[in-house]
Amino acid sequence: MQTIQKARLRSGQFAPGQSGNPGGRPKDEHRVAELSRSYTLEAIDTLVELMRDGKDERIRGTAAQALLDRGWGKAKVEVVTGAEGSYLDVLRAVNERLAGGKRDVHIA
């Protein structure tokens, strides 16, 4: 079997004018998404059935969460710290607390 080497720079990136995927995206990719969407109602019905009649509490909870996420979007997570300043300052403060082994970062 013959291996085709792509022209890469020392950094591992492809050289200008070279592509790691010269054929582009598969032509049927949009058809797969369209086919998947055609099962939306059946998938929702299945999630509702699992939520209502699932024998395992974890399955019921997961199905309920999936329905809520799709209907209302995922819940936003807010990180609250005692830090004042810019967004980056707050992220640095959270990182320092986590690196120091402190797990008292409160999520509201």
Side-chain angles (χ1 to χ4, degrees), residues 21-32:
N21 188 13
R25 289 186 175 201
K27 305 299 181 222
D28 290 337
E29 184 176 329
H30 69 282
R31 296 183 72 208
V32 171

Side-chain angles (χ1 to χ4, degrees), residues 65 68-69 72-80 106-108:
Q65 187 65 52
L68 289 171
D69 288 349
W72 297 100
K74 292 192 180 246
K76 294 180 182 177
V77 176
E78 182 180 340
V79 177
V80 180
H106 302 285
I107 299 176

Side-chain angles (χ1 to χ4, degrees), residues 39-51 67:
Y39 290 101
T40 299
L41 293 176
E42 186 177 347
I44 289 174
D45 288 343
T46 300
L47 285 171
V48 170
E49 183 180 325
L50 287 169
M51 180 187 70
L67 286 167

